[in-house]
Every structure is written in C-alpha cells, then in structure tokens.
C-alpha cells in the first residue's frame, strides 16, 4: 500500500470539493455535513479543523478534528495519513467516532501513542428509516420550550453521563453543554414528555441536513424503563423528523444494547452500516 501524507487543513475555498465528498453518504456523514452546512470550513466558525486528504490532486477524504475526531469517506490510505498527522499534533479530542473501518485504521496508528482508551465501542450499528414508524408515537412527546431548559437539563446530563461514562459538566461546570442543549431547543430539535415538571422521556435531533438527520440522547427515566416509553417516544420524534426536518432519520446504537436495538427495530429502523467509538 502506498502511504503518502498528502493532508492539509481545508478552508472555505474547498467547500465545493468537501461537499462532494460528504454527499457520497448523507446518512453516515450527517454530523460533519450538518457542521459544514452551518459553519463552512473556517476553523473558528467550525469549532475545529477539517483535514483533507488528496490523491492525484483531488480531494478524496476528510477528517473533522474538534471535540471529536470524525473520519469522512476515509480510505485506508487516508485514515493512515490522518492518524499520522493527529499523532504528531497530539490528542485534542475526547473521542474518535465514525465508520468502523476508518476508526479502526485510525486507532491502529494512534493507540500506541494515545492509548489506552477509556472504552472501545465497536461495532455500533448505524440504523436508518425513511418511513413513518411501525408503532404509534407517544402523543405526549413534544418539542421542548426555551423556558424549560432548566427542567430538561438534568435529564440530558444524566443521559450523557450514563452513555459516555463522564459527566459533561466536568471542566467548565457544564457551560458548553448547557449552551448546546439550549441551541437544540432553540432549533426545535429537542423533544420530551414532561409531566408535572418531571421528564419521563427525552431525545434530540442532534444533526440535520436537507438529506438526513440523526437522533441522539434517547433517555427514559430509570424508574419507568421497560414500559415502552422509549419506543413510543422515539417513534414520536421520528414522525416529526420525517415530516419537518429530513427525509431520512438515523441513529447509532451500541451492539450490546439489546433492549434499545429491539425498540428501534419495532419502530422500523434497519441497519445501513457500522460505526465505532473510541472514548478517552
């Protein structure tokens, strides 16, 4: 395998070429596509750098380098080149996440320097649906209002801590995380069932483009799990997302989370790929 490190930081003059790469898989690349659509490629607005790998003078693969390291359409050669550059600059991210093959290639180079990881999650089935749910959505699930930020935030923190294993309030007291939750509420992409000031279910559409969107942060009050709230709640979010946000709804799930996988299958999600996450 010819391995050359033809990588550079992209800027807005590369937008058309970057869009061409991202659009090869609108579902798998929705996180990066959403960021680029909103912010372009300027690092200050993007919240990180976008690295591009070139072959024969053409942009072939991307890697978003911010709070997460996210490969996009990364061939083995590109993933190796991105990993070599990341190794030289040192770890600045809290995770590597994306298509499983590219993440594995990145991690094979970075593990001796960045390891050990706090947790390696692979595979994580990437699921998607373009049809209305096969089960009824919970009619009590609705968009969260801006004045309900303090009501929903503890559930968001609980979900993040349970899922990732680290609280999002560590470091800055939760200011950045609070701002992100507020942003999703303001965009109309935070959903919940709230009764008497208590959150029973919540989820967000974290990334969205005109082609696809991705649900994240699905959470049910631990006292109420196993009663179907998660299935009905997620179905309600899918209904709104398909009607008002994008023609395809996706999410990814840990392969060992059998209850969640069964719930998503009932709704009508099918597997379209494999993701992996390396958590630090």
């Amino acid at each position: 395998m010819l391995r050359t490190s033809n990588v550079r930081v992209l800027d807005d003059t590369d937008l058309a070429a970057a869009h061409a790469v991202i659009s090869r898989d609108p579902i798998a690349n929705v996180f990066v596509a959403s960021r680029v659509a909103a912010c372009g490629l300027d690092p200050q607005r993007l919240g990180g750098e976008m690295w591009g790998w070139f072959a024969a003078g053409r942009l072939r693969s991307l890697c978003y380098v911010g709070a997460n390291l996210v490969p996009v359409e990364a061939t083995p050669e590109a993933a190796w080149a991105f990993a070599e550059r990341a190794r030289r600059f040192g770890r600045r991210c809290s995770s590597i996440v994306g298509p499983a093959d590219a993440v594995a290639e990145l991690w094979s180079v970075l593990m001796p320097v960045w390891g050990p990881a706090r947790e390696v999650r692979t595979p994580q089935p990437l699921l998607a649906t373009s049809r209305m749910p096969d089960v009824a959505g919970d009619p009590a699930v609705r968009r969260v209002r801006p004045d309900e930020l303090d009501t929903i935030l503890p559930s968001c923190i609980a979900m993040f801590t349970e899922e990732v294993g680290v609280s999002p309030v560590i470091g800055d007291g939760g200011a950045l995380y609070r701002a992100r939750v507020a942003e999703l509420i303001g965009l109309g992409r935070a959903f919940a069932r709230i009764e008497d000031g208590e959150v029973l279910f919540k989820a967000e559409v974290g990334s969205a483009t005109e082609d696809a969107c991705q649900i994240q942060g699905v959470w049910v009050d631990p006292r109420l799990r196993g009663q179907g709230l998660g299935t009905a709640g997620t179905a309600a979010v899918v209904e709104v997302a398909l009607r008002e946000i994008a023609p395809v709804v996706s999410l990814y799930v840990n392969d060992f989370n059998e209850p969640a996988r069964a719930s998503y299958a009932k709704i009508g999600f099918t597997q379209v790929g494999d993701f992996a996450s390396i958590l630090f």
Side-chain angles (χ1 to χ4, degrees), residues 113-183:
V113 182
W114 286 10
R118 181 169 55 83
E119 190 172 354
V120 176
R121 296 182 179 179
T122 184
Q124 295 174 300
L126 175 63
L127 312 176
T129 184
S130 58
R131 70 174 194 263
M132 284 294 171
D134 296 332
V135 298
D138 183 348
V141 170
R142 58 172 175 78
R143 283 185 164 95
V144 179
R145 301 190 307 265
D147 65 295
E148 294 175 312
L149 173 59
D150 288 329
T151 299
I152 198 75
L153 190 60
S155 300
C156 295
I157 293 170
M159 177 284 305
F160 189 100
T161 304
E162 181 179 346
E163 174 64 21
V164 179
V166 175
S167 171
V169 306
I170 293 175
D172 67 350
L176 283 176
Y177 189 70
R178 180 185 178 90
R180 176 56 177 162
V181 174
E183 178 186 24

Side-chain angles (χ1 to χ4, degrees), residues 16-51:
H19 280 304
V21 174
I22 293 168
S23 65
R24 292 179 203 157
D25 191 337
I27 299 174
N29 300 331
V30 65
F31 167 75
V32 172
S34 179
R35 295 290 302 166
V36 172
C39 307
L41 294 173
D42 176 75
Q44 284 193 321
R45 288 183 285 119
L46 190 62
E49 294 181 340
M50 189 72 76
W51 296 350

Side-chain angles (χ1 to χ4, degrees), residues 56-73:
R58 291 183 59 191
L59 182 63
R60 305 285 185 173
S61 302
L62 309 173
C63 189
Y64 173 76
V65 186
N68 307 308
L69 193 69
V70 185
V72 176
E73 300 298 305

